Amino acid sequence: MLHILTERRARVQHPFWYESTLGMENAFAAQPGAELQPLHPWIARLNYLIALKSCRMLPDVSLRVVPGELYLFVAMSICDLAHARATLRRVAAKGGRVCLYCFDTWEPDYRHWEGVFSHIPLHAVFFAYRQSYDYFSRLFDFCHFLPQSWDDSVFHDQGVPKTRLFLQMGRRVESIHGMILRYMEERGIPDSPQNYTYRRSPDEVTFPTIQSTARAVAESRFMVCAPRSVDDPGFTGNVQDVTARFYEAMASKTLIIGYKPRPVFDELFPEDAMVELNPDGSDFAGKIDYFLNHPDEYNRMVERNYELVMREHTWAARFRQFCAALPQGT
């Protein structure tokens, strides 16, 4: 049995990024032999408060542990894992086999991740990013690479008209933002949310719910995706991430424009699965005009991408890869 340890009861109100964690947990829990096991909400909340004071974390003593069974914790960041460390150590001490799935393992934080890994008896650790897996697999023998996916119950083909030209979700890729504004100005297209939706101020909430976000993706012809390292290399280091945004666009039959996370993107998808742009913007107008003037080619690409992600890249498919990678005898 796989027990998926979740903090959702402590996060009734949660940041947007936590939706990725919930999507993975829900999809894994829907598979045979898996179940959600919520952590005590007050212990989880206390640990977040304790972390602000740099004090010792509290284990969730209410958690029933079955020796020999698997316990998976999904960590979006090093903070999430640090907060749950005491509970995970208790699970291992009680005979549970602790597995981790780690999302944002940025290079500048490697030392912190390594320290937590060293203090929890771990059965397996799965990394969302290839560069992080390559680094930690040289230090520990329990490491595996398992790419991200997306919540296909929210982001999917909605059968709606493509009424918006461009969309940037969340953080703005400034170089591509400039390309889009120049393109629209040259063609007399107003810079309005109906034509181009993006965060117009740092504190703006572009979409109030995950459902409205999914609707916007489905209504857009082109969605901007790029590794975070493009604009913030000091934060990410040498980690180029294929995030849920890439999958969400493909699942919504929206064509991606931007920069490829290398080398992993071409290992997961066909070379032409997205419209890759030159950083100087010299090819932007020509590529956009081509797809606007050749709707058959646009439709061919988005249909192929959709079929590919639904066949090979759902969280259900990742669950099968997860089980196949576990040590023999698990």
Side-chain angles (χ1 to χ4, degrees):
M1 175 64 74
L2 173 65
H3 305 269
I4 301 157
L5 305 177
T6 177
E7 294 182 328
R8 63 184 61 204
R9 285 167 52 191
R11 294 177 182 249
V12 177
Q13 294 181 328
H14 53 262
F16 187 88
W17 54 259
Y18 191 61
E19 295 288 344
S20 295
T21 302
L22 292 174
M24 179 184 179
E25 291 176 351
N26 291 338
F28 271 40
Q31 307 306 310
E35 67 173 15
L36 288 175
Q37 190 158 352
L39 296 174
H40 194 288
W42 289 110
I43 296 296
R45 291 178 186 140
L46 279 172
N47 278 334
Y48 277 84
L49 293 174
I50 290 170
L52 299 176
K53 302 294 184 181
S54 300
C55 300
R56 188 173 182 178
M57 302 298 163
L58 302 174
D60 186 345
V61 296
S62 70
L63 186 67
R64 187 177 68 88
V65 179
V66 180
E69 295 194 350
L70 295 169
Y71 291 80
L72 172 65
F73 182 77
V74 180
M76 178 60 68
S77 68
I78 183 60
C79 294
D80 292 342
L81 182 56
H83 297 158
R85 177 173 55 188
T87 294
L88 296 175
R89 284 176 57 85
R90 178 179 178 273
V91 170
K94 294 285 186 179
R97 298 180 178 183
V98 177
C99 301
L100 303 176
Y101 185 82
C102 305
F103 278 90
D104 290 347
T105 47
W106 305 123
E107 186 177 19
D109 295 329
Y110 279 175
R111 180 175 58 85
H112 301 293
W113 286 96
E114 182 181 343
V116 178
F117 292 159
S118 298
H119 287 88
I120 303 173
L122 294 168
H123 188 64
V125 177
F126 293 82
F127 294 88
Y129 304 146
R130 168 62 64 78
Q131 289 95 337
S132 302
Y133 160 74
D134 289 342
Y135 174 84
F136 285 104
S137 63
R138 294 192 292 267
L139 304 178
F140 305 100
D141 59 6
F142 47 60
C143 299
H144 307 273
F145 173 53
L146 188 68
Q148 285 193 46
S149 183
W150 85 103
D151 189 344
D152 58 1
S153 70
V154 178
F155 292 88
H156 51 79
D157 175 26
Q158 300 191 20
V160 296
K162 298 288 185 183
T163 55
R164 180 183 294 101
L165 194 54
F166 301 108
L167 170 67
Q168 288 217 55
M169 279 173 58
R171 63 182 178 82
R172 209 166 67 190
V173 183
E174 292 298 336
S175 58
I176 301 176
H177 177 62
M179 298 176 200
I180 294 173
L181 292 181
R182 285 193 297 273
Y183 177 89
M184 294 172 61
E185 182 179 9
E186 291 169 358
R187 283 153 180 77
I189 302 172
D191 176 16
S192 66
Q194 291 73 31
N195 296 318
Y196 175 29
T197 299
Y198 60 93
R199 184 180 290 172
R200 294 168 185 263
S201 64
D203 57 350
E204 179 186 3
V205 178
T206 313
F207 305 106
T209 65
I210 191 70
Q211 289 75 23
S212 61
T213 304
R215 176 82 180 191
V217 176
E219 292 174 340
S220 302
R221 290 182 180 273
F222 302 101
M223 177 168 156
V224 176
C225 292
R228 185 167 183 172
S229 58
V230 170
D231 285 330
D232 201 357
F235 187 84
T236 64
N238 190 38
V239 175
Q240 297 205 10
D241 44 311
V242 181
T243 64
R245 300 290 175 259
F246 290 85
Y247 300 100
E248 290 163 358
M250 294 185 192
S252 304
K253 295 188 178 179
T254 293
L255 192 57
I256 299 170
I257 59 173
Y259 309 131
K260 287 183 179 180
R262 298 188 185 278
V264 179
F265 187 90
D266 288 334
E267 297 173 1
L268 297 173
F269 307 108
E271 184 179 357
D272 63 346
M274 65 176 284
V275 180
E276 189 170 22
L277 303 171
N278 289 333
D280 63 5
S282 58
D283 60 347
F284 183 87
K287 288 183 174 179
I288 298 301
D289 285 342
Y290 174 81
F291 286 106
L292 292 178
N293 294 326
H294 295 83
D296 290 345
E297 180 63 10
Y298 178 96
N299 291 331
R300 180 195 69 81
M301 288 181 65
V302 298
E303 290 289 345
R304 183 208 54 196
N305 290 348
Y306 172 79
E307 293 173 1
L308 176 63
V309 295
M310 295 305 297
R311 184 177 64 249
E312 299 183 12
H313 296 294
T314 61
W315 279 123
R318 297 287 186 256
F319 180 82
R320 294 190 290 271
Q321 297 165 11
F322 169 88
C323 293
L326 290 171
Q328 290 186 353
T330 298

